[in-house]
Amino acid sequence: MPDDTSVHFGQPQQRIDGRAKVTGAARYASDEEVADPAFAYLVTSTIARGRIKRMDLDAAKAVPGVLDILTHENVGNQAAPPPQMDPTDKPTETLESDRIWHDGQIIAIVVADSFEAAREASHKVQVIYAEERPSATFDSPGTTSEVRKETARSRDPKIGDFAGAYAAAPMKVDARYSTPTQHHNSLELFSTTCIWDGPRLTVYEPSQTMHGNKNNLATQLKIDPSLVRCVSRYVGGAFGSKSLAAHTVWIAIAARRLGRPVKLVPTRDQGFTIRTYRAETRHHLQLGAGRDGKLIALRHEGWELVSRPSHFNVSGTMSTARMYACPNIETKVNLVHADRNSPGFMRAPPDTPYMFALESAMDELAVALNMDPIELRRINDTQSDPTNGKPFSSRSLMQCFDQAAERFGWHQRNPRPGSMRDGDWLIGWGCATSCYPSNIGAAAARLSLTAQGKASVALAGHEIGTGAYTLVAITAARTLGLKVEDITVTMGDSDLPPVPIAGGSNNAASTSHVTNMACQEARARIAAAAVAAGDSPFHGGKPAELRLENGTLIGPHASEPLAKALGRVTGGVLEIYSEFVPKGSAPGALQTLYKGVPAFVGGTSREDVTAFAFGAQFVEIRIHRRTKELRIPRVVSAFAAGTIVNATTARSQFMGGVIWGLSSALHEKTELDLRTARYINDNFADYHIPVNADTPSVEIIMVPEEDTRVNPLGIKGIGEIGIVGMNAAVANAVYHATGKRLRDMPVRLEDLL
């Protein structure tokens, strides 16, 4: 049996890149040293709709050190259209034409010998506009709307006869909810450095999709993808924002025009408009139930704000329709076009806004029934997908509720609103369901194993703060019988074998499986050679009975040092290249992977099962009865997410999601000037996020769950589930404390006065 030094999934393991990060040795994109760089600075539009009539560049060009100014007039035809975030997306343009789609659009790029000169010159670019009246948001004059077109990825589930069942239901909830615009504000800015070496281009840019960036940039530049290399060793936060950037191609063109490296580090406020964000949403929820609490009818209609040309949507009805047993379901998603930059994916893109509406409505139904909200969920729990009858690969939702409720002390809750107090403080307890689909994608990796018991794994993975380097090292060490310290992991380079985009919570499952496959092949080759060799103590045995452990090949009755066993296979280093294609993948999944297009399997797309991770969020809120000051002293959250690879980083991911959920519920909202369609609080001073004083005690429970159907290693993603449902739990706790139902996020003090 393995001894105490063996590596197992689920053990706590320090990050192998932790020291580099805390000492500053870790190189992020803008840290990469390049020789004699020029510096770029963006010029962005000051209107939200119209056209550029004229640009006066004379004063800007007169600034000492200015080398070039890129505009639609001199480079607009040198790049193919901007990259698409999604097959339904048509992004707004930048320098392709004189068209202004939104405020803060990139309309020129100044390049100079120094950052300071580029910045000074950018402020001297004079732009004359033909301005048109913009439409800022929902209900603004001039917006247009349409029903979202269904795709293979996003459909509106519908079963039974909702209208008839709802009309006959004795208990009803009919309510409308909304969530605001929210922006990614990761610490690392959206930097880009481009260097040409003859026909070859190297790009240093924080990225969640190494091969996606490489292929999209090659398409825009109309060159072969083999001539493009993208490097992103570490990413200082991403959350969906660091995938495909519209400005990258122009920095590459600027570097080519100058014959010199060009570095861009946009400002914090520019990050609000040059990349994507979480779209604001509206929801209409109708629930019909019997007096016993069983759902009879459920209808969820959503509205999402998008830019003028885009059809991007997240469509969270794919999740909300599947949460609870219900025989009559109807869903619908609408798009509303306004003069804004295009939204995109942001941590748990569909579930964060859509589950807020469902879980708030479920709490309202529990109140109407005079029923405990946990029991309402228990009554409507189901082990099969209500939209199609497929079983869930596993569903430990009620185990999460039971364990979290016990730890939270839920049995002490007085259900009457406003009944729990501590002096001048009203106390409210709320809970909500958390969920996220479990995805996995095709991936490739290169493994090297030496006779000295050292291994290296190389793949174009993404370290976005989740502990990806450590996860791969744990997987390799576990399978090869080595220590984690004996594994070297290389990633963040598009010259390495491709893996899917770091999104959709697929990263752990995809990279672990391809790493495990490569290591299993190494073990199999070593074992096959051992049983075939006449001088081997394993001669004539069964290869499957041999395992690698602590640098040793071990069988039922004998053992042998790895160096000797490996020598039968290779005289030097054993090199293995593996390609993993998960069961149920579409034909050509590997081909599309190498082209930078991920093909996920899981969630609602599988033919045999529906695959989700589940959780339960519990929160206590304290509201001062006079001032309405809000405080959250504690949170208890439980999650069942299959196999946990690294308990240390898993807990960190869950906790980070929970804190962001609190931020989404109580702090974050991008404010708009409705007249000009401009963001007002585009900085860290005014865009509210929680600080230490706002961060309560957060207790994370990882509910054990074995799921042999979700994928061979039983791994479900955990990067996004932590945020889901927290906004609803907070709103439900506010109701319990005050008796006032708040259906619009975020909760603000003035909402309670």
Side-chain angles (χ1 to χ4, degrees):
M1 296 294 293
D3 62 23
D4 291 339
T5 63
S6 298
V7 177
H8 302 283
F9 282 164
Q11 293 179 332
Q13 172 68 47
Q14 290 184 347
R15 296 171 185 257
I16 62 176
D17 55 337
R19 180 176 294 275
K21 286 182 174 179
V22 299
T23 60
R27 282 186 294 169
Y28 293 82
S30 62
D31 300 328
E32 299 283 358
E33 294 185 6
V34 296
D36 191 29
F39 296 87
Y41 199 95
L42 303 178
V43 180
T44 56
S45 65
T46 57
I47 69 169
R49 180 183 172 96
R51 293 190 176 275
I52 299 171
K53 292 177 64 177
R54 189 176 76 256
M55 301 182 76
D56 186 346
L57 307 179
D58 291 343
K61 289 180 177 178
V63 173
V66 170
L67 303 171
D68 198 0
I69 300 178
L70 280 63
T71 71
H72 69 277
E73 294 179 332
N74 59 10
V75 299
N77 62 355
Q78 294 183 22
Q84 293 183 197
M85 285 287 298
D86 182 87
T88 64
D89 187 29
K90 184 183 179 190
T92 54
E93 298 173 343
T94 49
L95 303 184
E96 288 84 359
S97 73
D98 63 356
R99 176 75 180 271
I100 302 297
W101 293 95
H102 61 86
D103 174 65
Q105 175 182 315
I106 300 170
I107 58 174
I109 301 175
V110 178
V111 187
D113 282 324
S114 69
F115 172 82
E116 292 77 10
R119 179 178 58 188
E120 179 184 349
S122 72
H123 294 307
K124 294 186 176 182
V125 172
Q126 300 296 314
V127 185
I128 309 301
Y129 299 102
E131 187 172 0
E132 302 171 27
R133 182 180 178 181
S135 302
T137 184
F138 294 124
D139 303 328
S140 294
T143 58
T144 60
S145 61
E146 62 177 315
V147 177
R148 185 278 313 264
K149 295 179 178 63
E150 292 186 322
T151 66
R153 183 184 68 84
S154 296
R155 298 187 182 279
D156 295 326
K158 183 177 181 180
I159 60 168
D161 174 17
F162 165 79
Y166 184 74
M171 304 298 295
K172 295 182 176 70
V173 170
D174 188 327
R176 294 179 182 270
Y177 307 88
S178 73
T179 64
T181 296
Q182 295 174 331
H183 272 82
H184 315 92
N185 269 303
S186 49
L187 288 179
E188 183 187 21
L189 297 167
F190 300 114
S191 63
T192 301
T193 302
C194 291
I195 309 161
W196 290 91
D197 181 9
R200 286 189 58 84
L201 171 66
T202 299
V203 180
Y204 296 105
E205 182 175 81
S207 174
Q208 295 174 250
T209 171
M210 302 306 305
H211 279 257
N213 276 5
K214 169 192 179 104
N215 282 273
N216 273 276
L217 192 53
T219 298
Q220 285 193 276
L221 291 168
K222 303 171 186 176
I223 61 177
D224 192 276
S226 64
L227 298 175
V228 179
R229 179 190 179 207
C230 295
V231 180
S232 177
R233 306 180 205 279
Y234 297 95
V235 181
F239 319 119
S241 67
K242 288 172 178 168
S243 48
L244 308 177
H247 66 254
T248 309
V249 68
W250 304 119
I251 304 304
I253 288 172
R256 187 168 60 187
R257 283 165 64 93
L258 292 175
R260 178 177 174 183
V262 173
K263 177 175 287 192
L264 168 73
V265 181
T267 61
R268 174 66 61 186
D269 62 316
Q270 289 172 344
F272 278 71
T273 60
I274 66 172
R275 298 301 283 268
T276 58
Y277 57 96
R278 193 190 299 284
E280 58 199 277
T281 67
R282 288 182 175 179
H283 307 266
H284 183 198
L285 250 294
Q286 294 171 287
L287 299 179
R291 298 193 185 278
D292 59 357
K294 289 186 178 180
L295 289 172
I296 299 170
L298 183 155
R299 185 177 188 274
H300 189 172
E301 182 171 8
W303 290 261
E304 301 180 26
L305 196 85
V306 294
S307 65
R308 288 290 182 187
S310 176
H311 296 279
F312 175 86
N313 59 90
V314 295
S315 299
T317 56
M318 294 279 284
S319 293
T320 57
R322 292 175 161 84
M323 280 306 99
Y324 304 111
C326 184
N328 302 286
I329 298 173
E330 185 177 296
T331 62
K332 181 181 179 182
V333 175
N334 307 279
L335 305 182
V336 177
H337 298 272
D339 299 302
R340 300 269 294 282
N341 51 319
S342 296
F345 300 112
M346 184 167 168
R347 197 172 195 170
D351 305 271
T352 298
Y354 279 78
M355 285 293 287
F356 163 66
L358 175 64
E359 289 304 289
S360 295
M362 287 291 285
D363 197 73
E364 296 199 44
L365 179 60
V367 171
L369 290 162
N370 194 27
M371 180 180 290
D372 186 285
I374 299 177
E375 291 310 304
L376 177 63
R377 290 167 174 85
R378 192 184 312 278
I379 287 170
N380 290 287
D381 191 32
T382 175
Q383 293 300 312
S384 60
D385 186 330
T387 70
N388 54 31
K390 291 188 296 186
F392 286 102
S393 66
S394 61
R395 178 178 164 117
S396 305
L397 176 61
M398 294 319 301
Q399 291 92 319
C400 291
F401 267 104
D402 290 341
Q403 292 190 30
E406 181 179 359
R407 194 77 57 88
F408 191 82
W410 187 261
H411 66 281
Q412 300 175 16
R413 174 181 181 264
N414 185 329
R416 183 167 57 86
S419 61
M420 297 175 65
R421 299 188 175 217
D422 180 10
D424 283 337
W425 293 89
L426 305 174
I427 298 175
W429 290 0
C431 66
T433 291
S434 180
C435 69
Y436 198 78
S438 301
N439 296 307
I440 190 170
R446 184 182 300 116
L447 168 71
S448 299
L449 178 63
T450 71
Q452 291 72 39
K454 304 291 183 181
S456 63
V457 182
L459 68 176
H462 315 88
E463 173 45 57
I464 58 176
T466 57
Y469 282 100
T470 311
L471 179 139
V472 171
I474 289 172
T475 305
R478 169 183 176 270
T479 311
L480 294 174
L482 302 175
K483 297 178 182 178
V484 171
E485 301 81 56
D486 294 328
I487 311 297
T488 300
V489 181
T490 306
M491 58 174 61
D493 191 326
S494 67
D495 282 355
L496 301 176
V499 301
I501 185 173
S505 288
N506 86 93
N507 191 55
S510 303
T511 57
S512 289
H513 277 82
V514 73
T515 300
N516 182 66
M517 174 181 282
C519 295
Q520 288 286 12
E521 184 176 342
R523 186 208 64 80
R525 289 193 191 181
I526 294 170
V531 300
D535 63 344
S536 168
F538 310 106
H539 178 68
K542 297 179 180 179
E545 294 180 342
L546 307 187
R547 69 183 189 277
L548 292 169
E549 185 179 306
N550 298 325
T552 306
L553 182 64
I554 300 176
H557 308 293
S559 64
E560 185 177 64
L562 173 63
K564 186 170 184 179
L566 188 64
R568 297 191 186 92
V569 182
T570 174
V573 177
L574 177 58
E575 298 274 1
I576 292 174
Y577 190 91
S578 285
E579 295 177 328
F580 168 74
V581 181
K583 179 182 177 182
S585 295
L590 273 175
Q591 289 82 347
T592 60
L593 175 70
Y594 281 90
K595 293 178 181 177
V597 180
F600 293 160
V601 179
T604 62
S605 67
R606 288 178 50 164
E607 294 183 357
D608 55 343
V609 297
T610 295
F612 273 76
F614 292 94
Q617 309 272 28
F618 285 75
V619 62
E620 177 180 315
I621 195 165
R622 297 167 68 89
I623 302 174
H624 197 278
R625 70 181 184 89
R626 295 181 183 274
T627 66
K628 306 306 179 187
E629 177 186 350
L630 295 95
R631 290 292 176 196
I632 292 188
R634 65 191 184 105
V635 171
V636 176
S637 299
F639 304 99
T643 301
I644 299 298
V645 177
N646 183 0
T648 298
T649 52
R651 186 174 301 277
S652 176
Q653 284 296 291
F654 286 136
M655 184 176 294
V658 165
I659 294 172
W660 198 356
L662 294 174
S663 182
S664 175
L666 296 173
H667 300 276
E668 291 190 58
K669 181 181 180 181
T670 307
E671 304 285 355
L672 270 169
D673 183 328
L674 299 182
R675 300 164 302 166
T676 61
R678 300 186 70 180
Y679 300 132
I680 298 171
N681 55 334
D682 55 355
N683 55 74
F684 267 157
D686 299 319
Y687 186 90
H688 294 166
I689 58 174
V691 296
N692 286 349
D694 301 308
T695 306
S697 164
V698 178
E699 187 170 357
I700 301 298
I701 301 170
M702 289 184 278
V703 177
E705 182 180 66
E706 292 185 12
D707 188 341
T708 58
R709 294 192 289 187
V710 68
N711 52 57
L713 294 177
I715 297 172
K716 296 181 176 181
I718 62 174
E720 296 173 272
I721 189 175
I723 190 177
V724 178
M726 181 52 69
N727 45 15
V730 169
N732 297 339
V734 169
Y735 174 80
H736 181 233
T738 66
K740 187 170 185 178
R741 182 68 66 178
L742 299 182
R743 300 185 178 96
D744 305 306
M745 289 284 101
V747 176
R748 294 280 170 84
L749 181 150
E750 56 267 27
D751 298 326
L752 298 170
L753 289 173

